[in-house]
RNA sequence: GUGGGUGUAGCUCAGUUGGCAGAGCGCUAGGUUGUGGUCCUGGAUGUCGAGGGUUCGAGCCCCUUCACUCACCCCA
């Protein structure tokens, strides 16, 4: 048997209604807030991700699906979407038309990690990005947007974690302070943190090893080292969120694994998924557009983990039951099958959800099937004694039945079903 | 990449010191020749994850491997 490759999976018909619910809620909300959809390639030049995400990040170092195409050029299955959105903004000089762009996109991302609950090698994200606005109100708006989306989806046990990572001015000061601190605690840190010290010192802040936590107790934080601009910015974000009734938690250990983030960083966390607690995350990346060859332009964005979100929702509400057909047609006898097919098709074309049988089964088994499909009504077309058997329409919930005229019953059925002549429940 | 757990019917899972492959659900056909859900009866369905080894004999023991799963790591 040929199976999916490791870490890849099928989203089966039983699960897709839930995914569609999420996707519709998200695009509806984003459109209301003035975002436009952008659709992007799944494959980009490797260089794009190496330069944006950062050469020394785990994503770029060991998780990307990178291979040479047939002409030897290195290409990569996108591990995230922001780099592509930025590339597109620059490539099409969107800033020349209007520097302010609010864009969203959804689709699969690829990272070759060890699969686990809520972590797949192909996973789906919904991304939203705002270019050209430096104001902290936009930071607040994106968090408000996430908060509202989750609220609309019926999720309440989610927490927004918030931090500020500083900017080009204050980050170097913080780095120096942190490095000095780490050097003084070196012998008490775990082996991972020893390695992180020079590679990616920020990450030592959210290490979960108890010994490290203790050693890092009074480590310098980004918040203590913010320059006055960053501090003002962060204060405004918090004040605005409070004014809008969005609850959040300032989490000074929140750091993000992509190098391009600056100032505001945030994550929406859940307790429902074990270790994979983040269902959405994002932040400001004011330097990235310029670093990728565009103009100096502020930017901020977030990504929602669709797989995780769907998982959390399924745990809370289960998957919505699929709606059965409005009508199941039961043909009895050879000529009935043709009439059933023609009638069913006409109903489908008229917007009535109709199904019929093509296998010539018994009345009993087809009634069972109508029941299993959760059909609203059953129509019995009995041609075995053509002169005396008129079509019968049965309401499956009330068991009420009416006998229709001998001729083609399609129009009458459309009338009855669309006028609720026979109430369904 | 590291460590633990699990692989038996479509699904959830039993399977004794190594001795004929099982249950429930689901599927399917019936239950006085025109009607579903409950109930009753019959039926079909297995590379016991894969490969090798030990043995008269392996679902069970040993080795290898793959997948799933949880955690680390990392992230959404």
């Amino acid at each position: 048997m040929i199976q999916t490759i490791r870490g890849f999976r099928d989203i089966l018909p039983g699960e897709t209604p839930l995914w569609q619910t999420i996707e519709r809620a998200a695009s509806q909300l984003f459109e209301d807030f003035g975002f436009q959809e952008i659709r992007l390639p799944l494959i980009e030049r490797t260089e794009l991700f190496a330069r944006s995400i950062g050469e020394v990040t785990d994503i770029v170092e060991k998780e990307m699906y990178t291979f040479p195409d047939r002409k030897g050029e290195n290409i990569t299955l996108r591990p995230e979407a922001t780099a592509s959105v930025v590339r597109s903004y620059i490539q099409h000089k969107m800033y020349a038309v209007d520097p302010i762009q609010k864009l969203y996109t959804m689709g699969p991302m690829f990272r070759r990690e060890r699969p686990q609950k809520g972590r797949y090698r192909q996973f789906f994200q919904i991304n939203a990005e705002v270019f050209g606005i430096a104001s902290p109100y936009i930071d607040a708006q994106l968090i408000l947007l996430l908060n509202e989306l989750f609220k609309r989806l019926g999720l309440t046990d989610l927490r927004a974690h918030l931090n500020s990572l500083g900017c080009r001015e204050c980050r170097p000061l913080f780095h120096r302070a942190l490095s000095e601190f780490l050097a003084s605690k070196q012998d008490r840190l775990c082996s991972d943190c020893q390695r992180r010290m020079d590679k990616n010192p920020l990450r030592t802040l959210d290490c979960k090893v108890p010994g490290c936590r203790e050693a890092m107790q009074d480590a310098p934080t980004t918040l203590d080292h913010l320059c006055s601009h960053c501090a003002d910015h962060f204060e405004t974000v918090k004040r605005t969120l409070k004014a809008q009734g969005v609850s959040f938690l300032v989490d000074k250990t929140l750091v993000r694994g992509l190098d391009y983030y600056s100032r505001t960083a945030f994550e929406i966390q859940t307790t429902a998924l074990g270790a994979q607690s983040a269902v959405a995350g994002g932040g400001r990346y004011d330097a990235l557009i310029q670093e990728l060859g565009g103009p100096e332009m502020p930017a901020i964005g977030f990504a929602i983990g669709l797989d995780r979100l769907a998982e959390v929702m399924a745990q809370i509400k289960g998957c919505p039951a699929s709606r059965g057909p409005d009508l199941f047609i039961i043909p009895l006898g050879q000529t009935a099958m043709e009439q059933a097919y023609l009638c069913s098709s006409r109903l489908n074309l008229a917007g009535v959800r109709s199904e019929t049988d093509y296998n010539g089964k018994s009345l009993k088994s087809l009634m069972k099937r109508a029941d299993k499909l959760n059909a609203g009504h059953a129509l019995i077309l009995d041609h075995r004694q053509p002169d005396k058997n008129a079509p019968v329409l049965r309401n499956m919930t009330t068991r009420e039945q009416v006998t229709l005229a001998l001729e083609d019953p399609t129009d009458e059925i459309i009338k009855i079903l669309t006028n609720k002549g026979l109430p369904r429940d």
Side-chain angles (χ1 to χ4, degrees), chain A residues 58 61-62 190-201 204:
Chain A
D58 277 21
E61 276 186 336
K62 46 192 194 195
C190 71
S191 55
D192 280 329
C193 283
Q194 306 258 0
R195 186 173 48 83
R196 289 176 179 126
M197 274 179 61
D198 35 70
K199 240 183 79 179
N200 197 348
T204 56

Side-chain angles (χ1 to χ4, degrees), chain A residues 213-314:
Chain A
R213 281 204 160 165
E214 204 179 313
M216 299 298 291
Q217 197 97 58
D218 35 45
T221 67
T222 53
L223 293 181
D224 297 333
H225 289 77
L226 296 182
C227 64
S228 63
H229 294 302
C230 286
D232 286 350
H233 188 98
F234 193 52
E235 282 310 310
T236 306
V237 174
K238 290 190 291 183
R239 173 163 40 82
T240 310
L241 286 173
K242 278 181 193 152
Q244 295 186 291
V246 177
S247 60
F248 59 88
L249 194 74
V250 173
D251 179 354
K252 60 188 193 320
T253 70
L254 174 65
V255 294
R256 320 222 70 245
L258 290 72
D259 280 359
Y260 53 62
Y261 286 115
S262 56
R263 287 195 169 168
T264 313
F266 53 91
E267 229 169 65
I268 311 292
Q269 297 187 5
T270 174
T271 51
L273 292 175
Q276 310 306 320
S277 59
V279 295
R284 193 160 267 289
Y285 47 94
D286 290 336
L288 181 60
I289 295 177
Q290 189 170 36
E291 275 168 24
L292 287 179
E296 187 174 356
M297 191 67 70
I300 181 170
F302 64 71
I304 300 168
L306 256 181
D307 306 76
R308 291 180 185 178
L309 186 52
E311 176 73 27
V312 173
M313 286 182 64

Side-chain angles (χ1 to χ4, degrees), chain A residues 12-219:
Chain A
L12 297 174
E15 315 168 68
T16 49
L18 186 52
W19 285 66
Q20 290 173 355
T21 302
I22 298 171
E23 287 160 1
R24 285 197 198 108
S27 37
Q28 176 70 57
L29 184 65
F30 293 168
E31 300 272 348
D32 287 348
F33 272 78
F35 286 75
Q36 293 178 294
E37 189 184 5
I38 181 169
R39 303 199 182 193
L40 301 159
L42 300 191
I43 299 178
E44 298 270 8
R45 292 175 205 277
T46 303
E47 183 195 6
L48 173 65
F49 302 116
R51 279 177 52 190
S52 59
I53 297 168
E55 300 273 6
V56 297
T57 56
D58 277 21
I59 294 177
V60 172
E61 276 186 336
K62 46 192 194 195
E63 294 174 2
M64 294 204 302
Y65 283 95
T66 295
F67 33 81
D69 75 358
R70 285 171 187 258
K71 285 193 175 168
E73 184 185 18
N74 257 339
I75 58 177
T76 295
L77 247 43
R78 64 180 185 188
E80 59 114 32
T82 300
S84 296
V85 184
V86 170
R87 190 223 78 232
S88 182
Y89 179 77
I90 298 168
Q91 177 175 338
H92 302 287
K93 295 189 167 55
M94 291 166 78
Y95 50 82
V97 179
D98 183 351
I100 296 175
Q101 297 285 338
K102 303 171 87 171
L103 304 167
Y104 74 96
T105 189
M106 39 183 103
M109 310 294 157
F110 305 85
R111 290 182 203 174
R112 201 184 175 291
E113 301 176 88
R114 185 95 173 242
Q116 181 178 329
K117 189 183 203 61
R119 191 171 80 183
Y120 306 96
R121 289 181 173 183
Q122 173 177 315
F123 58 100
F124 293 80
Q125 289 189 341
I126 305 176
N127 276 77
E129 320 284 346
V130 177
F131 298 150
I133 302 178
S135 163
Y137 297 128
I138 284 300
D139 305 33
Q141 182 171 70
L142 288 187
I143 296 168
L144 170 75
L145 213 55
L146 283 171
N147 189 63
E148 176 66 16
L149 176 63
F150 294 138
K151 197 161 82 186
R152 289 186 186 183
L153 292 173
L155 301 174
T156 49
D157 67 330
L158 299 174
R159 294 189 314 259
H161 289 235
L162 195 59
N163 195 14
S164 177
L165 303 178
C167 63
R168 266 184 287 201
E169 276 183 42
C170 41
R171 199 89 83 95
L173 297 173
F174 167 71
H175 267 264
R176 204 171 310 141
L178 181 60
S179 296
E180 279 168 22
F181 179 84
L182 289 173
S184 75
K185 301 279 183 182
Q186 183 160 11
D187 47 333
R188 294 176 51 191
L189 300 176
C190 71
S191 55
D192 280 329
C193 283
Q194 306 258 0
R195 186 173 48 83
R196 289 176 179 126
M197 274 179 61
D198 35 70
K199 240 183 79 179
N200 197 348
L202 264 184
R203 290 239 72 98
T204 56
L205 291 174
D206 72 344
C207 182
K208 282 126 201 150
V209 174
C212 285
R213 281 204 160 165
E214 204 179 313
M216 299 298 291
Q217 197 97 58
D218 35 45

